[in-house]
Amino acid sequence: MSHSPALNLDPHSSDRMKKKILAAVTAVVIGHVGVLWALGQMKIQDLKPVHKDPLQVHFVKIQQPPKPLPPKPKEKPKPKEKPKEVKEVKVVEKQLPPPPKKVEKIQQVKTQAPKQAVEQPVVKAPPAPVVTTTTSVVPKSTPQPVPQPVTPQPSAPAADPSPKTVSIGGSGVQWSRSPRISYDGSELQGATRTVVVLIEADEKGKVTKVTLVKGSGIAALDEKVLRAVRSAKFKPYKENGVAYPIRAKQPFDLTP
């Protein structure tokens, strides 16, 4: 029968250990308490606020230097002109040939012996009859043009000084500037008024005379009609290309 080895434990060793631990813990607690007490005894210094001026910031725009311009293209060198060749002209003096010598030619002239003259009888011819011819020159007469009879041109018919009585409109005389009568409807006094005038005009169509043939019964209204007709104008009245003065009647119906 085997026996386990017996443990030799000292009961007082555990008590010692406990005492050591307690002492250590107590020392730590006391140390902390001392630190806290020391901190409590310290005077808290008042911290004064520090006032500083605000920083002023200035923004500076950095300007970039201008870009350099591209270099100008180099001009091509002009080709050098070749110097013109100067040709030398040599002057050669030629010797002229000597002038030719004059050669005198001598011609021999042969003289003929004179012939003996033989005398022949001279026969005189009878004188020829003289014929005289007379020529008469008759001058030619140039024919003169026969004057042609002048046919008298028809003279334009003289304009009749008396005016022609015509109608206005249609195949008669025409207005170039018709009369404009301005009146108020109240002047007619509620009734239609008729005014008839006799108009005379010269060959140019200018109104020369206006006569009241039938009045409206209102003198002021008749005067307005006469004034309007005097300021009017006809086209020139012509017959066979000749202008004539005219006389024409014209009625005017004035309605309210």
Side-chain angles (χ1 to χ4, degrees), residues 57-73:
V57 180
H58 296 281
F59 293 94
V60 179
K61 187 176 180 181
I62 300 174
Q63 294 182 354
Q64 294 182 356
K67 294 182 180 180
L69 296 174
K72 292 182 180 179

Side-chain angles (χ1 to χ4, degrees), residues 188-226:
L188 302 176
Q189 299 177 1
T192 300
R193 306 284 177 171
T194 302
V195 180
V196 181
V197 294
L198 178 64
I199 309 169
E200 293 183 12
D202 59 8
E203 61 275 5
K204 295 181 180 179
K206 183 180 178 182
V207 177
T208 57
K209 187 177 179 181
V210 182
T211 307
L212 185 64
V213 177
K214 180 183 178 181
S216 63
I218 302 171
L221 193 60
D222 296 343
E223 186 61 32
K224 286 185 178 181
V225 175
L226 294 173

Side-chain angles (χ1 to χ4, degrees), residues 128-151:
V130 178
V131 180
T132 59
T133 58
T134 60
T135 57
S136 62
V137 179
V138 179
K140 292 182 179 181
S141 62
T142 57
Q144 295 181 357
V146 179
Q148 295 180 357
V150 179
T151 56

Side-chain angles (χ1 to χ4, degrees), residues 8-212:
N8 295 323
L9 294 174
D10 190 0
H12 298 286
S13 60
S14 59
D15 293 336
R16 291 175 184 171
M17 288 297 291
K18 288 178 181 180
K19 288 179 179 179
K20 288 181 179 180
I21 291 169
L22 286 171
V25 171
T26 303
V28 171
V29 172
I30 292 169
H32 281 81
V33 171
V35 171
L36 292 174
W37 179 81
L39 291 173
Q41 295 295 324
M42 293 177 64
K43 291 183 180 181
I44 299 172
Q45 295 180 356
D46 295 332
L47 298 177
K48 294 180 180 180
V50 179
H51 296 285
K52 291 184 178 181
D53 295 333
L55 295 175
Q56 295 180 356
V57 180
H58 296 281
F59 293 94
V60 179
K61 187 176 180 181
I62 300 174
Q63 294 182 354
Q64 294 182 356
K67 294 182 180 180
L69 296 174
K72 292 182 180 179
K74 293 182 180 180
E75 295 181 356
K76 293 182 180 181
K78 293 181 181 180
K80 294 181 180 180
E81 295 182 356
K82 293 182 179 180
K84 293 181 181 180
E85 294 181 358
V86 180
K87 294 182 180 181
E88 295 182 357
V89 180
K90 294 181 179 181
V91 179
V92 179
E93 294 180 358
K94 291 184 178 181
Q95 293 181 356
L96 295 175
K101 295 179 179 180
K102 291 182 179 180
V103 177
E104 295 179 356
K105 291 183 180 180
I106 300 171
Q107 293 181 355
Q108 294 178 359
V109 178
K110 294 180 180 180
T111 58
Q112 293 180 0
K115 292 181 179 180
Q116 292 180 359
V118 177
E119 293 182 358
Q120 292 181 0
V122 178
V123 179
K124 293 183 179 180
V130 178
V131 180
T132 59
T133 58
T134 60
T135 57
S136 62
V137 179
V138 179
K140 292 182 179 181
S141 62
T142 57
Q144 295 181 357
V146 179
Q148 295 180 357
V150 179
T151 56
Q153 295 182 354
S155 59
D160 189 0
S162 61
K164 289 183 175 291
T165 303
V166 295
S167 61
I168 299 175
S171 60
V173 69
Q174 304 292 331
W175 292 103
S176 65
R177 184 173 65 247
S178 59
R180 295 182 180 180
I181 305 170
S182 59
Y183 62 92
D184 192 0
S186 61
E187 295 180 77
L188 302 176
Q189 299 177 1
T192 300
R193 306 284 177 171
T194 302
V195 180
V196 181
V197 294
L198 178 64
I199 309 169
E200 293 183 12
D202 59 8
E203 61 275 5
K204 295 181 180 179
K206 183 180 178 182
V207 177
T208 57
K209 187 177 179 181
V210 182
T211 307
L212 185 64

